[in-house]
Amino acid sequence: VEVCGLASIAPLLVAREKAVPFFSDDACLRSLGRVECQVSGFSIQAFLRVATHRNLITATEYQDAIIQLLRSNYTFISEDSGVLRRCYEIDKGRISKMASFLVNRVNDAQYNARSCIGLLSEFAIFLWRNKEPDGANTREEWLKEIWLAFSKSANTEPLIFEFIACLAINCATQPAVFFGILNNAMLEIPYINRLRRGLFEVITIT
């Protein structure tokens, strides 16, 4: 109480008294409740996931809620490729500030870069396979945004190789998509072109 203040932990104390789960977006308070009070807790994203699983809200409503939380600076929120595709849909295929933010999480020190690889791979495949709407950025412009995001990361080369390997696995039944994305990168991004020997080794191993 002395460290956190009574006002901060009052909801936790109420949850303990009522023997109900503790709803809070403060990870430290939830940890305190679990360790010191034996009270389980959950965040707003966990609540939204359960609501989606139970069909109380649609997948689109879930994605819209996640985007709204991100716009409200909820930095602890995690996302999947569906959220990125929803940004694409909302902004009619334009590279918006929110979409760029999500893509560039891969080079943000606050986040686990490897957790971004799968969703960016799925989104890249989506871009390549679908015709962009009128007035949208081209798929090549979007892919350039993704490749440049990787190039700004602290661990660029290993992450790019992991991304390529993930692409290869996800495109196992559609090799034309994989080689289209990769060939475009080598033509458009000088940094990727310089890695071509290592990339072919990754492809061979995969």
Side-chain angles (χ1 to χ4, degrees):
V1 175
E2 292 178 0
V3 175
C4 300
L6 181 58
S8 298
I9 67 167
L12 173 58
L13 298 177
V14 171
R16 184 178 66 175
E17 181 180 346
K18 300 291 185 181
V20 295
F22 174 48
F23 175 41
S24 174
D25 286 322
D26 189 322
C28 292
L29 272 181
R30 292 200 308 273
S31 178
L32 177 67
R34 184 175 62 255
V35 174
E36 299 295 335
C37 303
Q38 291 73 54
V39 174
S40 61
F42 62 98
S43 66
I44 182 64
Q45 185 166 23
F47 174 81
L48 290 168
R49 283 173 173 163
V50 171
T52 306
H53 180 70
R54 295 183 178 179
N55 296 318
L56 298 174
I57 61 174
T58 65
T60 298
E61 289 171 330
Y62 169 82
Q63 291 155 4
D64 287 344
I66 294 300
I67 291 169
Q68 185 56 52
L69 290 171
L70 290 167
R71 285 177 175 155
S72 301
N73 296 318
Y74 276 59
T75 56
F76 58 87
I77 294 293
S78 62
E79 74 288 335
D80 55 25
S81 61
V83 173
L84 199 45
R85 288 197 302 270
R86 180 59 179 154
C87 281
Y88 182 93
E89 180 182 333
I90 290 171
D91 296 307
K92 296 178 170 54
R94 299 293 299 174
I95 301 175
S96 64
K97 183 178 179 181
M98 175 56 65
S100 181
F101 165 75
L102 291 174
V103 169
N104 279 278
R105 272 190 162 191
V106 75
N107 60 56
D108 192 325
Q110 295 184 71
Y111 305 103
N112 181 350
R114 285 183 170 80
S115 69
C116 302
I117 289 174
L119 73 92
L120 290 176
S121 170
E122 291 173 9
F123 185 62
I125 294 168
F126 163 81
L127 292 169
W128 196 262
R129 295 185 63 189
N130 291 274
K131 179 176 173 53
E132 61 267 12
D134 292 339
N137 287 98
T138 65
R139 66 184 183 183
E140 288 79 11
E141 289 171 324
W142 274 96
L143 289 169
K144 185 175 183 179
E145 182 82 8
I146 292 172
W147 290 114
L148 290 178
F150 275 102
S151 71
K152 298 172 191 173
S153 65
N155 203 19
T156 301
E157 192 168 313
L159 284 176
I160 286 178
F161 288 154
E162 286 188 45
F163 179 62
I164 293 294
C166 187
L167 270 175
I169 293 169
N170 288 340
C171 292
T173 60
Q174 43 193 340
V177 173
F178 172 72
F179 285 107
I181 294 171
L182 188 58
N183 185 59
N184 173 260
M186 288 191 288
L187 290 174
E188 299 292 334
I189 312 295
Y191 183 87
I192 303 300
N193 189 47
R194 290 196 295 271
L195 296 176
R196 61 187 180 278
R197 177 174 296 179
L199 292 176
F200 286 124
E201 289 177 0
V202 170
I203 294 168
T204 302
I205 294 171
T206 306

